[in-house]
Every structure is written in C-alpha cells, then in structure tokens.
Amino acid sequence: MELCDTPIHRLHAKRLAGEISTADIARSVIQRLETVEPTIRAFVTLTTDNLETNARAVDAKLARKETVFPLEGMPITLKDIFCTQGVETTCGSEFLKGFVPPFDATVVARLKAQGLNLVGKTNMDEFAMGSSTENSAFGPTRNPWDTSRVPGGSSGGTAAAVAAGEALGGIGTDTGGSIRQPASFTSLVGLKPTYGRVSRYGMVAFASSLDQAGPLARDVTDAALLLGAISGQDPRDATSSVQPTADYTAGLSGDLKGVKIGLVKEFQTGALDADVEQAFAENLRVLRSLGADIVEVSLPSLQYAVAIYYILAPCEASSNLGRYDGVRYGRRDPDVNNLADVYRKSREHGFGPEVKRRIMLGTFALSAGYYDAYYNKAMGLRRWMAQEFEAVFSQVDFIASPTSPVVPFKLGEKLADPMQMYLVDAFTLPANLAGIPGISVPGGFSGQGLPLGLQLMAGRFQEARLLQAAFAFETAAGHHARRPPLK
Ligand code: GLN
C-alpha cells in the first residue's frame, strides 16, 4: 500500500519508528494528486506549495526528539465551507468566488494548533445543498471507485480526495447527511457529531440548527483522532456544548457483547437497492457475530423525516442566505443602476438553481399565511422525533441502518428530479433533526464493486461509544482496507 493510501495513525507510528519521514508522506500525496486530480476534480483551491516544507519542519522536530501530534504535518483537506484566513473560501458558490476570509473557523484554528498541513479546499454542493456535489458552481467531482458516478454530497470533494489518496483525511459538514452519505459512497468512515459537539464558528451557515462539522477518514481510528482535534466548547458559538471531550482513540477495541442494537421498523419499508439490502443483511450478521443483540424498535416519526427536513432546512437557509446582498461580501453584479438592482441582480446571477429553489421554498413556508401550517408544524414533529429517539435509546445502545438507500449513482441521473435527490437522505436526516451523532462505516460493495455504508446512531454525546462500536464492526468486516481501482 502506498503512503498516501495509509491511515494517519499508522503513518504516525511508522514515522515515530523512523521507517518513513513526514516529507515522504507529503510527496506521496502530491504525486497521487498530480495523477488523479485532472479526472477526480475534488479540489476548488490547492494549497500544496508548502506541503513538503511543512512536512520537513515536522521531521526536524522529530529529529530533535520533540513531541509531535499524530495529525502534525499530515496532509489534510477541508471542505470549502470553512473560513480559512488568507485562503479563498467559496462554499461551492459563484457568489463567494474570490472571497478570502480574514479569519479562521474554530475547526481550522484547532487543527492548526495540532500542526495542520492543508492540501486545499474541497468541492461541495453550493452552500452544502445537495447529495451529489453536482450543484457546485465549479463543476462536479467524480467518484474514485467509478468515475462515471457521483461521490455523494454535499461533502463529495472531501470524500473523493480522501478516498483517492489526495489527502489523508478531511473535515466536512453534515446538515442532513453530507458527511455520512459521501463516506458511504466512497467507502470511508464519516462521523456527524452531536449538535453542539463541534463549534460552528466560521463555518458558512446553511441551516444553523442542523449544521455540524465532522471527520471523513480512512478508518475509525483516524476519525477519532480528527474528532478529538476539532471538538469542544467555543465561546464564539453559543450552541457549542460545555460537555468535556474525550480521547476518542482510547478504548477502540473489543467486541459488542451485551450491546443492544435497534433496527427501525419504519426504515425497512423504504425502497432499498437490492445491493444495499443484501449488504445490510450481511452487516447485521457481522454485528451479531460480535455479540450484539439485534431488536426491532419503532419510531413512527421517521416516516416524516424527509418532509420535516425539507421544510425546516430551506426555512433556515432562506434566512441565513439573506446576508448575500451584493454589498457586504462576495459577488456584486457589475450591471446595476440602483440599490434594488444590486440585490436582485447579484442574487439572480450569484446563486445556482438549487439554492434559489431552497430560498423560495423557505420563504414560502415562513410567510405570514403559511408559517403555522408549515414551519411550526414541522418544528412540532421535529420535537416528537427527538423524544422518540430519547425513548428508544433507553432500550437500545445504538440504531443501525444502511447509510443510503442507494448505491453511488451516475452523474446527471438524479439532477432533473429534486425529489429523487431528496429521498436519498431518508436515513441520514433523522440524526440531524434529533441532534444525535451518527457514523457511516464501510459496509461492503455492490455486485459492480460500488461502495456501501453501514450507519450507526447513538444518544446525544455518545461519540466515544459510537466510535467503539464502529471500530468493532470495522475490524470484523474489514471493508475499509479495500482501496479504489485508480488508473
Ligand atoms: N442532501 C441534504 C440537502 O441537500 C443534506 C445536505 C447537507 O447535509 N449539507 O440538504
């Protein structure tokens, strides 16, 4: 296995043992990037100029026997939704083209404190709205497992980059599945933490009550390392939690003896791809073989997840995106005669079709005559869902489901029909609506060799236990070891 395909924690062990240098790792990543990026197109901005120099500085520290963090100098990528001081941040939108933030998001600052070596900013659906990365103003990213297919979304660029060995790990965001679904589509581990576990400061807002940042990684141990680096309370985000964080890599061992896992009755009725159904059945066999007790649970509210989410997320988006007025930052249309023109034309030309659809949906649902019928109703159902989850987590430790009802689809396949695209999120939306953590672990492959994911959800702030269960599954199933067939 080449260095650029190896998990971070293994590379760290090797460099501590003096078998490789951090510069070797950086060179391996750059070489891979040069080979595959023209096809994969995972990046919006590359910051590779200093990648090797930064790595050498870490090697110098190692030579002086100074302590080095596992992540220090390791080539990492960030979804282009995180503000990076001095590095363009577009959020996949024409509107923010050329926007260079004067500050770092807290996630970025925390990674820098651990020696971030940034490969670049990765492609995404515009303002994180989408499930395929086809809604990017900078063109689609391709799935390294099959370049005629999408890598999922909205963190599809980050997922594709990590899967292809163009970065060793990445940070994405998940409002309704945007970390877990691309992880599933590219055979990575993707973790959406509890709402409030990670600071949202400096993360471009889509739906503020649902947005969370989290890792996309080669394996569970790397995901645990990355989560440990970015999580924790932040005075700049009032919704970030004071709950202490843990060393999430500690305790990654063992089986699932005495663990109860729930299967959601209401999930099984959905239309699953045959391959997904088969892989999920196999995943359950693995969980059972590890000692888990699998029981059926019922959460009737989950039938309404897609409807609830596609009211609430657009409502919040329509409000959040009001800031793009052509005055404060980002794009201003050149051809304007008065203030109304500045707003209208900047927004008309700056936003893509999906973003406009969400703004219209949200504005409609929040309008005086419809506020109670849509927004308030959806809020009530959301509370019901959170209560149902709480009740179920007093009976079981985790809930298991496929991450996505479908395998990675072809570019263009679902673009014409937004409803088809929205339905892809059926299994991931509930964790965001309830604020609970969810993880996607490589769950196997379809007959055609396309990746599939197993999702596990847990109660609030149970990330450590979730990672332990995911680790036990990963070790027994072994799907994470397979790498995409890159040319
Ligand atoms: N696919 C969902 C949407 O389009 C979720 C996106 C996300 O998690 N950012 O809204």
Side-chain angles (χ1 to χ4, degrees):
M1 197 191 291
E2 295 193 31
L3 296 182
C4 63
D5 292 316
T6 310
I8 294 170
H9 62 99
R10 293 203 193 288
L11 294 171
H12 183 58
K14 279 182 194 284
R15 71 177 171 186
L16 288 183
E19 292 166 29
I20 56 168
S21 70
T22 317
D24 294 336
I25 301 169
R27 274 193 297 273
S28 170
V29 166
I30 291 169
Q31 207 171 57
R32 174 64 61 79
L33 202 141
E34 280 166 0
T35 322
V36 303
E37 181 58 10
T39 314
I40 304 293
R41 303 183 67 91
F43 288 86
V44 179
T45 303
L46 282 169
T47 55
T48 41
D49 283 355
N50 295 323
L51 210 68
E52 203 182 323
T53 319
N54 294 343
R56 274 209 217 93
V58 179
D59 289 332
K61 278 179 82 174
L62 284 166
R64 293 194 300 269
K65 307 258 180 274
E66 285 174 37
T67 312
V68 162
F69 292 110
L71 294 176
E72 203 161 337
M74 298 290 185
I76 301 279
T77 186
L78 294 167
K79 185 179 187 177
D80 205 18
I81 198 168
F82 296 101
C83 284
T84 39
Q85 188 172 12
V87 177
E88 190 176 349
T89 300
T90 68
C91 217
S93 182
E94 186 66 39
F95 219 120
L96 285 177
K97 211 164 155 180
F99 169 61
V100 180
F103 69 104
D104 280 326
T106 297
V107 160
V108 179
R110 295 220 159 129
L111 287 168
K112 281 187 177 171
Q114 302 226 348
L116 172 67
N117 198 4
L118 185 67
V119 184
K121 306 290 293 289
T122 13
N123 200 18
M124 55 183 286
D125 288 297
E126 184 176 8
F127 288 105
M129 297 172 192
S131 306
S132 68
T133 314
E134 293 167 294
N135 295 336
S136 168
F138 307 102
T141 294
R142 288 169 187 271
N143 192 322
W145 292 89
D146 176 345
T147 52
S148 70
R149 292 174 190 268
V150 302
S154 64
S155 312
T158 311
V162 178
E166 299 177 272
L168 302 179
I171 307 293
T173 62
D174 190 313
T175 303
S178 282
I179 291 172
R180 289 161 288 158
Q181 185 254 19
S184 160
F185 275 23
T186 57
S187 206
L188 295 176
V189 175
L191 171 66
K192 183 206 87 77
T194 308
Y195 184 78
R197 180 66 300 172
V198 179
S199 168
R200 291 180 297 106
Y201 178 75
M203 195 173 110
V204 179
F206 163 12
S208 307
S209 77
L210 302 160
D211 299 340
Q212 257 310 278
L216 281 138
R218 297 263 159 71
D219 64 13
V220 173
T221 310
D222 278 4
L225 269 175
L226 288 162
L227 178 67
I230 63 173
S231 59
Q233 206 249 336
D234 175 12
R236 290 189 167 117
D237 173 5
T239 66
S240 71
S241 171
V242 295
Q243 287 256 355
T245 57
D247 174 0
Y248 296 106
T249 59
L252 292 183
S253 66
D255 50 37
L256 296 174
K257 286 207 178 68
V259 167
K260 263 201 173 148
I261 298 182
L263 284 189
V264 179
K265 193 169 119 202
E266 289 77 12
F267 268 171
Q268 289 160 349
T269 55
L272 292 182
D273 276 5
D275 282 315
V276 173
E277 202 164 329
Q278 214 178 353
F280 185 58
E282 179 55 36
N283 293 166
L284 293 180
R285 264 195 292 281
V286 172
L287 292 170
R288 269 195 207 96
S289 76
L290 288 163
D293 185 12
I294 299 192
V295 298
E296 192 176 86
V297 293
S298 174
L299 294 97
S301 64
L302 296 195
Q303 301 162 69
Y304 307 110
V306 175
I308 300 169
Y309 174 88
Y310 279 99
I311 288 174
L312 294 181
C315 283
E316 295 189 26
S318 73
S319 165
N320 269 327
L321 271 58
R323 75 192 65 183
Y324 304 103
D325 55 5
V327 176
R328 282 174 286 187
Y329 37 69
R331 183 178 203 285
R332 173 180 303 183
D333 211 80
D335 176 28
V336 289
N337 295 315
N338 52 47
L339 185 63
D341 263 7
V342 173
Y343 297 155
R344 194 165 43 79
K345 290 194 175 166
S346 300
R347 288 171 73 83
E348 182 182 337
H349 300 133
F351 291 138
E354 182 60 27
V355 173
K356 286 180 185 162
R357 182 179 293 121
R358 304 284 177 111
I359 292 173
M360 286 190 277
L361 282 171
T363 307
F364 176 79
L366 287 173
S367 61
Y370 296 100
Y371 186 91
D372 282 328
Y374 293 106
Y375 183 75
N376 265 345
K377 181 98 183 210
M379 282 299 277
L381 290 170
R382 179 184 187 179
R383 273 190 294 276
W384 173 39
M385 187 183 291
Q387 285 160 6
E388 282 194 342
F389 269 112
E390 218 177 292
V392 162
F393 283 125
S394 66
Q395 302 157 31
V396 298
D397 302 283
F398 307 105
I399 289 174
S401 78
T403 306
S404 161
V406 298
V407 297
F409 43 92
K410 297 252 186 203
L411 272 95
E413 193 180 315
K414 293 187 194 290
L415 263 187
D417 184 352
M419 202 51 208
Q420 281 301 312
M421 197 71 96
Y422 297 171
L423 286 169
V424 168
D425 304 330
F427 298 154
T428 48
L429 302 174
N432 302 77
L433 290 167
I436 59 173
I439 193 167
S440 180
V441 203
F445 297 85
S446 74
Q448 286 173 281
L450 300 170
L452 298 154
L454 166 71
Q455 175 178 241
L456 294 172
M457 294 181 271
R460 290 164 58 76
F461 297 105
Q462 297 297 314
E463 279 82 4
R465 292 179 63 211
L466 194 57
L467 286 159
Q468 278 161 20
F471 181 84
F473 174 81
E474 169 185 274
T475 308
H479 301 303
H480 64 297
R482 191 155 146 191
R483 305 299 343 139
L486 295 165
K487 284 183 205 82

